[in-house]
Structure formats: structure tokens, C-alpha cells
Amino acid sequence: MTRFAHPLIVLCMATFEKNSVSALSKAQNLEALILFGDDTKKILSKITDRSLAEAIRTPLTMDFKGRYRECLLVYTEEKPAIKTTKRIILVGTGKSAKLTNHHWRTLASTAVHYLKNLGITKNIGLLLPSPKGQKTSEIAMASAQGQSLGQIGFDLFKTERKEEEKARFETIRFQFLVSDAKELRGAQDGVARGSLIGEDVNWARRLILLPGGDLYPDVLVQKVQEMVAKSPAKTKIRAEYWTEKELRKHSFGGLLGVGQGSTHRPRFIILEYFQGKRGEPPIVLVGKGITFDSGGLSLKPPASQETMKYDMAGSASVLSAFKIITDLGIKCNVVALVPTAENMPSGTAIRPGDVLRMASGKTVEVLNTDAEGRLILADGLHYATTHYKPKAVIDVATLTGACALAVGEAAAGVFTNNKKLLSALMTTSEKVQENLWPLPDFDDYYVPLLKSEIADLKNIGTREAGASTASIFLRNFISNNTPWAHLDIAGCGWYDAGRDFIASKGPSGIPIRLLAQFIEDFNQQSFS
Ligand code: BES
Ligand code: ZN
Ligand code: ZN
């Protein structure tokens, strides 16, 4: 492959990648047109074209039930009057009064899969519905998100694909259509925003899918450098990539300690974007970037190691949220910090019983090398709360199996030292429909569990309340009483099977939309 593509080719690719939005009356010769119908068999868009309305009359009275996620294929070719499309796909919505963005995301994703299974990937129209009381721009945004989030498969490394499976690996870009030209503007805005967010979430999901052998700290750094270089905001982003030299200079004992067992050396990524009001304190995001967690000398059993390439999902989430904010050009002050390391057993690895001196100066007795996330986050959180004077710090981490046991895939466990921040996060959680669930921090019970006989702290408590003791450990590294929230995504970050608009097993992309929306909505709010 040549390094520099011809400018025209780049331009064509750009236009190909982009979703188009137009009036239904302008659509011609589609391979398929997607229409949504509810459980009363009502089509949720105005169809003024008589022949189109005629084509779906029989399927609506005969086989279509309008059940949520039902798909029915209707051929229109034998009716020469229809120039718009060769096929119509009726997609059921269930009760139309109860539809939220979550449903629209899921329905668009459902259509993507139905079409891929049919082998149709090009020239597809999706008529945006306009049910009562719902905004076209919102439906357009959610549908565009569902289109992107519904595409990604996890069999990226297959070399042999059956002919009938090939379509599954192609990307579907809908031609979004509106019945009424008045809706065009809202639809365009919604589709642009939804595709941007969907693609940025997929950027993170692709990183998470990369095996530990392919994505280690240096590669993560490289991916971030490429992301920044391609960013429309690249001149406004300030980036630093620390190697061990800087880590030593800043006494990042936690990150250096966890990284010392691997041939892939630890790194620290700093991304700053200060486009908000001058002097407005930033929101700082910190993400756990363990590119593979073997457990270290406290080695995990093989089955538990299988998915541990995903132990950098927290870092991918904060990087992707940063990407969304900068791609959208939101006026705000935001920082993303990523301590990244590989947790390996070796002759140079930290041992159970070793004592680390952290960036804050506190000492930690490492009794279990598998509780490594909190060690690298401790340095990140110390840096976040001392170097910046942040209005809030949010860390995201696949931190504890205990959190996954407590809430499963349903939610991220949330801990915080600040009620206003919690309430803002809960509001955002409802808005974007990514669940958060507050978990307890009973100091009287949990703080004593982290006492060490020889150092300031030890890195594990008891087996019980594992998510809570992990959070209390982190709290020791929050300086200046900075408003802080910790999101444990061990359960919700990875789906064991496809669900809703996430079509296959693998990274869910949670809580990226939540973080980006939170920054967009609350970057000027004070929590103290
Ligand atoms: N990365 C794991 C947590 C994890 C487990 C994430 C399962 C996703 C699914 C973390 O580093 C870890 O191993 N935590 C230990 C802590 C324990 C040793 C105190 C755990 O949860 O077992
Ligand atoms: Zn671990
Ligand atoms: Zn881990």
C-alpha cells in the first residue's frame, strides 16, 4: 500500500463513509427500504407515495405483527410502478408510545443485522419515523448510533470466510430518509452527531478487541498519537507520552511497579483540551490501561485470563470520550489521563510482600499482584488531583471481579466522595441510558481492612466487599478533597453475548457515551 493516497481518493472515501440524509421522494433504485411499524400495524412515517403504500398493504394485514425487533421482507420488483426500492423491510417497534433512544439504537442495529444476513449491504434507505411526541433529530441520532454500534464483529482475525458470511464484514451505511422536507435539517444534525459518536465508540471497541500481544502500552500510545494526528482539533490538543524516564522523575512507583514484570514497558498518556472558559477548572478523566492482566505472580487461573485483554477498557473509554468531545468541538476544559502497563509474572515482576512507594509518597504493601489496577490508578489519580485543580475527577476501570459479581452486565458500579457529582452522573446516566449503580462505602467497616502492618496501606482487603475496598484504596490518592467518582466497569464493559444494539459478544462501549455527555452538559458546573 502506498503511504500517501491521492487527494481525490481520500475525498471519495470521505464522502463514501458519510451518511447521506435526503427526502424519501428523492430516493431511487434502493436495494432495500426500511420502514418501522408498531404493534397496531401502523407505519410510523407518512407514506405519500401511493404505490409504496400499496406494496405494504397485504404484508401489514397478513404476516407483520409489529413486535419489537420483528423483521419482514417484502419484494416490490413485480410492481413496476415502484421506482424507489426493490425491497421493503418492515421492522416492528412494539408499542410506539414507549419508544426511547435506546429502542431506536436497537432497532437500527437490528436492521443492520437482518440486512447483513440477507447479504445486502449497499444502497439501503432507512425512513426515519416520526411518531407523536418524539423529535426527528433524536431518532436520527439514536438510529445513526445504532447503525455504527450494530456493525462491529469480533471475528477480526478469521482468514477464511464462507461466501455467505462475507456481507457480515462489510459496513452498512444507510441513506437516511425523511417523509417531510421540513424534517431534513433536524435529521441531518442528528445523523451527523449520532454517526460521529457511534464511530468513536467503535474506535474504542476495536482497541479493546485487540489481543494483549498486539496491543501493549507502546501500541496504545501509538494509537492515541494517530488519533490525535487525524483529529479535526489536533492543533488544540496538547499531548504528552511519558516513558519510564518521566515516570521515575515523577516517582510513579505504582505504575512502574506493576509494569516491571513485562518486557513491554509502562507508559503514561496525557491529553489536554482547553477550549472552554479561561481559568475554568477542567474535568479530568483517568482510565485503567492494563493491556493484559495475567494477575502477575498472583497468577489468575487460565479461564480468568481469557478475556483479560479487555483490562484496558477503562482507558479506551476515557480516550474515546475525549475523542468525541474534541471531534464535536465542544467548548470545554477536559483532560484524559491513562496509566498503562502489562501485568506479567517474571523474574523482574513485583512479588507479594513487596512495598511500593507511590507518586503521592504513600507506601503500599502489595499482598496480591492481581490487584494491580488500583496501583496504577493511584498514581494517575494523584497526578490528576495535584497537577490540575480539577472541578471533578472521574476514573473508569475494570477494577474488580466483585463488582461484576454484584451487578453483572447491567451497570457500572459507582463510588463517589461528592453528592452533587453523583447526582449529575445519575442524570447523565438516565439521559444516555447507560446504567450506573451506587455501591457502598461504609468507612467503619472497610477502611480498617486496608491497614498494613509495615506500610501505609495494603493493596487488598478481604474477599467480601471487594469493589468497595478497592474504591476506598483509590480514595487515599485523591488530594485536596477533589470531587471524585470511580466507575467500576468490570461487569458492564464486556458482554458475554450480544444484547440490544451491541450485536456480538465483546466490548460494550460502556460508559463512553455517558462520559462524553457528562462533560458536554456539566463542564461549567461546580461540584464543591
Ligand atoms: N482486572 C481484574 C478485575 C476483573 C475481573 C475485571 C473480572 C473484569 C472481570 C483486576 O485486576 C483483578 O484481578 N482484581 C482482583 C482483585 C483481588 C485480587 C483483590 C479481583 O477482582 O479478583
Ligand atoms: Zn488483576
Ligand atoms: Zn486488572
Side-chain angles (χ1 to χ4, degrees):
M1 213 178 88
T2 47
R3 218 180 128 82
F4 301 102
H6 189 278
L8 196 66
I9 298 172
V10 175
L11 196 72
C12 291
M13 274 164 53
T15 44
F16 174 75
E17 284 286 330
K18 227 173 141 180
N19 284 117
S20 68
V21 187
S22 54
L24 174 61
S25 55
K26 297 263 164 60
Q28 269 195 348
N29 296 323
L30 296 173
E31 286 298 325
L33 171 66
I34 298 160
L35 299 177
F36 295 99
D38 71 7
D39 63 352
T40 66
K41 303 191 178 198
K42 188 168 154 276
I43 295 296
L44 302 175
S45 316
K46 229 189 313 168
I47 312 266
T48 43
D49 184 319
R50 297 246 316 287
S51 55
L52 265 184
E54 183 60 28
I56 51 177
R57 208 166 53 93
T58 313
L60 281 180
T61 51
M62 302 233 350
D63 295 329
F64 185 70
K65 309 280 189 304
R67 284 190 292 248
Y68 183 53
R69 302 185 79 172
E70 169 189 352
C71 295
L72 184 72
L73 173 62
V74 179
Y75 291 104
T76 59
E77 268 186 326
E78 72 271 21
K79 302 177 180 74
I82 300 181
K83 296 229 173 44
T84 318
T85 185
K86 292 186 199 159
R87 305 171 185 84
I88 292 170
I89 314 241
L90 291 172
V91 178
T93 67
K95 292 209 183 330
S96 54
K98 292 200 171 152
L99 295 169
T100 65
N101 284 358
H102 176 80
H103 300 108
W104 293 120
R105 270 190 290 277
T106 305
L107 290 166
S109 167
T110 303
V112 165
H113 277 264
Y114 187 75
L115 285 155
K116 285 191 176 186
N117 285 336
L118 279 178
I120 305 166
T121 55
K122 301 241 150 46
N123 216 4
I124 302 154
L126 181 147
L127 184 59
L128 288 166
S130 35
K132 257 200 219 119
Q134 293 177 43
K135 273 207 218 143
T136 311
S137 60
E138 283 288 304
I139 295 176
M141 184 197 69
S143 305
Q145 284 178 346
Q147 168 194 238
S148 296
L149 298 173
Q151 315 259 356
I152 192 166
F154 75 122
D155 28 11
L156 300 169
F157 290 92
K158 290 228 192 240
T159 55
E160 279 176 42
R161 280 170 192 161
K162 290 191 205 120
E163 195 54 40
E164 64 268 27
E165 282 184 340
K166 285 200 172 133
R168 283 184 36 218
F169 300 92
E170 283 172 36
T171 304
I172 290 184
R173 301 267 164 223
F174 294 135
Q175 208 173 307
F176 287 94
L177 303 165
V178 290
S179 316
D180 190 335
K182 273 193 295 204
E183 296 170 309
L184 211 51
R185 210 25 223 285
Q188 275 162 344
D189 291 349
V191 166
R193 186 182 158 94
S195 313
L196 184 151
I197 294 172
E199 291 308 308
D200 285 354
V201 173
N202 280 351
W203 176 78
R205 292 171 70 208
R206 280 192 203 97
L207 288 184
I208 299 168
L209 280 169
L210 286 176
D214 292 298
L215 185 115
Y216 40 87
D218 261 334
V219 179
L220 184 60
V221 165
Q222 213 177 309
K223 299 280 180 194
V224 174
Q225 285 171 327
E226 284 166 19
M227 182 269 274
V228 172
K230 285 193 207 142
S231 168
K234 86 166 176 229
T235 57
K236 298 170 184 151
I237 296 171
R238 209 186 72 81
E240 284 183 37
Y241 307 95
W242 292 6
T243 61
E244 283 159 294
K245 191 172 142 220
E246 291 86 2
L247 293 179
R248 276 195 289 269
K249 200 174 115 196
H250 289 85
S251 312
F252 270 36
L255 181 53
L256 284 164
V258 170
Q260 77 189 35
S262 171
T263 46
H264 299 301
R265 312 309 294 171
R267 302 283 182 254
F268 187 56
I269 301 170
I270 303 175
L271 295 179
E272 297 174 353
Y273 178 76
F274 282 88
Q275 293 297 308
K277 283 204 196 113
R278 272 196 101 182
E280 181 84 39
I283 293 172
V284 180
L285 307 176
V286 185
K288 171 177 174 183
I290 294 293
T291 56
F292 179 69
D293 183 10
S294 69
L297 285 173
S298 314
L299 197 63
K300 285 181 186 294
S304 307
Q305 292 187 38
E306 277 176 16
T307 54
M308 279 302 123
K309 63 179 182 184
Y310 120 87
D311 214 17
M312 39 59 76
S315 67
S317 301
V318 310
L319 291 166
S320 169
F322 184 91
K323 179 161 161 49
I324 292 173
I325 291 295
T326 51
D327 284 351
L328 285 172
I330 307 288
K331 297 261 169 276
C332 65
N333 298 334
V334 60
V335 177
L337 302 177
V338 172
T340 173
E342 185 181 45
N343 189 22
M344 293 296 251
S346 78
T348 61
I350 37 167
R351 311 150 189 85
D354 278 1
V355 175
L356 298 176
R357 184 179 295 275
M358 317 297 274
S360 74
K362 285 199 172 129
T363 53
V364 176
E365 185 185 9
V366 178
L367 290 179
N368 189 322
T369 62
D370 197 12
E372 83 299 338
R374 62 198 74 183
L375 299 172
I376 69 165
L377 285 172
D379 287 345
L381 289 170
H382 173 74
Y383 188 76
T385 51
T386 53
H387 184 79
Y388 303 94
K389 294 205 165 32
K391 63 172 47 194
V393 172
I394 302 173
D395 77 72
V396 187
T398 46
L399 204 63
T400 64
C403 181
L405 286 176
V407 294
E409 291 178 355
V414 59
F415 297 87
T416 173
N417 60 358
N418 183 294
K419 287 212 171 92
K420 276 195 206 159
L421 178 57
L422 178 64
S423 137
L425 283 168
M426 294 309 279
T427 304
T428 316
S429 153
E430 268 174 45
K431 185 165 170 182
V432 302
Q433 297 168 303
E434 291 185 335
N435 298 331
L436 291 182
W437 199 262
L439 293 176
D441 45 9
F442 296 109
D443 288 7
D444 287 355
Y445 289 81
Y446 308 144
V447 170
L449 298 177
L450 293 172
K451 286 228 164 84
S452 160
E453 307 207 333
I454 60 162
D456 298 333
L457 284 166
K458 56 182 184 180
N459 79 329
I460 49 166
T462 49
R463 244 168 65 83
E464 293 83 7
S468 296
T469 48
S471 165
I472 290 200
F473 180 91
L474 296 178
R475 202 179 63 195
N476 279 282
F477 299 89
I478 304 297
S479 295
N480 308 322
N481 209 19
T482 308
W484 159 72
H486 158 57
L487 273 48
D488 192 333
I489 59 164
C492 65
W494 183 275
Y495 286 167
D496 282 334
R499 58 174 304 126
D500 305 321
F501 47 88
I502 299 297
S504 51
K505 164 182 171 167
S508 65
I510 293 170
I512 300 170
R513 291 186 297 107
L514 181 140
L515 294 172
Q517 192 70 53
F518 172 82
I519 293 165
E520 190 173 355
D521 292 350
F522 291 99
N523 70 78
Q524 295 194 36
Q525 180 138 330
S526 161
F527 301 104
S528 43

